[in-house]
Amino acid sequence: RKEVEQDPGPFNVPEGATVAFNCTYSNSASQSFFWYRQDCRKEPKLLMSVYSSGNEDGRFTAQLNRASQYISLLIRDSKLSDSATYLCVVRERGYNKLIFGAGTRLAVHP
Amino acid sequence: SQTIHQWPATLVQPVGSPLSLECTVEGTSNPNLYWYRQAAGRGLQLLFYSVGIGQISSEVPQNLSASRPQDRQFILSSKKLLLSDSGFYLCAWSVPGSETQYFGPGTRLLVL
């Protein structure tokens, strides 16, 4: 079983749509959680951290369910510029190491 | 402000040839440094990380090695490349104690 699993997509949505991505992780000792965004043939960039209480940054909302070992990212009012691959990332307790999912690809069309 | 550089941007190498990829960070001191590889359709895999000059931790056994000759310089090397070494190599840095990692632009390596 992969340490971090994501639906690879692609998710093809029209502008203005709401889209949700899910991610599961296998290690219950995982401590920190993140969503990174990676544009085609570019480096990943941090989108947002994910906190236990859930957190929002503009049109983006992240949720964490530790009991189910499940992380989600909701994007409201999708823009063309949201087209990218979204990487779910987990850090285990006591390690510098980040574990990346393979990513979910989003394509927003006019 | 901090910046991270990687070169070359792309590289095509024959099987069995050596490899040297360089990463440098500017605008910060004593960063944690990381080498990742991203194969097509797969997540980033941590190859090496370093918390200081000459200190290298290897995450996966392979024919690659890393060195940190200076505080803000991280080098990825191989004596003989394999076809399976093809991929997108990313260097990253973080402030010690911080969880956020910042990635360089990457090097696309194709081994033929």
Side-chain angles (χ1 to χ4, degrees), chain B residues 44-60:
Chain B
L44 275 73
Q45 180 185 36
L46 180 64
L47 303 175
F48 301 95
Y49 73 90
S50 171
V51 299
I53 295 174
Q55 300 178 64
I56 310 293
S57 296
S58 174
E59 286 296 309
V60 292

Side-chain angles (χ1 to χ4, degrees), chain A residues 41-59:
Chain A
R41 303 181 71 81
K42 297 289 187 180
E43 72 274 22
K45 294 183 179 178
L46 179 65
L47 179 66
M48 60 195 300
S49 300
V50 186
Y51 303 118
S52 296
S53 55
N55 49 297
E56 188 174 304
D57 182 1
R59 298 181 293 108

Side-chain angles (χ1 to χ4, degrees), chain A residues 12-74:
Chain A
N12 294 298
V13 303
E15 278 186 286
T18 295
V19 61
F21 305 139
N22 303 319
C23 167
T24 57
Y25 58 96
S26 60
N27 189 342
S28 59
S30 298
Q31 182 173 25
S32 306
F33 309 90
F34 312 90
W35 284 101
Y36 275 69
R37 171 193 167 129
Q38 186 174 22
D39 292 303
C40 187
R41 303 181 71 81
K42 297 289 187 180
E43 72 274 22
K45 294 183 179 178
L46 179 65
L47 179 66
M48 60 195 300
S49 300
V50 186
Y51 303 118
S52 296
S53 55
N55 49 297
E56 188 174 304
D57 182 1
R59 298 181 293 108
F60 299 84
T61 301
Q63 297 278 356
L64 168 64
N65 184 322
R66 285 187 184 271
S68 302
Q69 295 177 204
Y70 170 96
I71 308 160
S72 66
L73 177 68
L74 182 77

Side-chain angles (χ1 to χ4, degrees), chain A residues 2 31-34 36 38 40-46 49 87 91 95-103, chain B residues 10 32 34 36 38 41-46 49 51 59 88 90 97 99-106 108:
Chain A
K2 291 181 183 177
Q31 182 173 25
S32 306
F33 309 90
F34 312 90
Y36 275 69
Q38 186 174 22
C40 187
R41 303 181 71 81
K42 297 289 187 180
E43 72 274 22
K45 294 183 179 178
L46 179 65
S49 300
L87 307 176
R91 185 177 75 85
Y95 289 92
N96 286 317
K97 178 180 173 180
L98 295 182
I99 301 170
F100 286 77
Chain B
T10 58
N32 289 343
Y34 311 84
Y36 289 87
Q38 187 176 36
R42 302 186 65 180
L44 275 73
Q45 180 185 36
L46 180 64
Y49 73 90
V51 299
E59 286 296 309
F88 189 33
L90 290 152
E99 296 175 325
T100 303
Q101 293 184 16
Y102 303 92
F103 287 84
R108 291 201 178 275

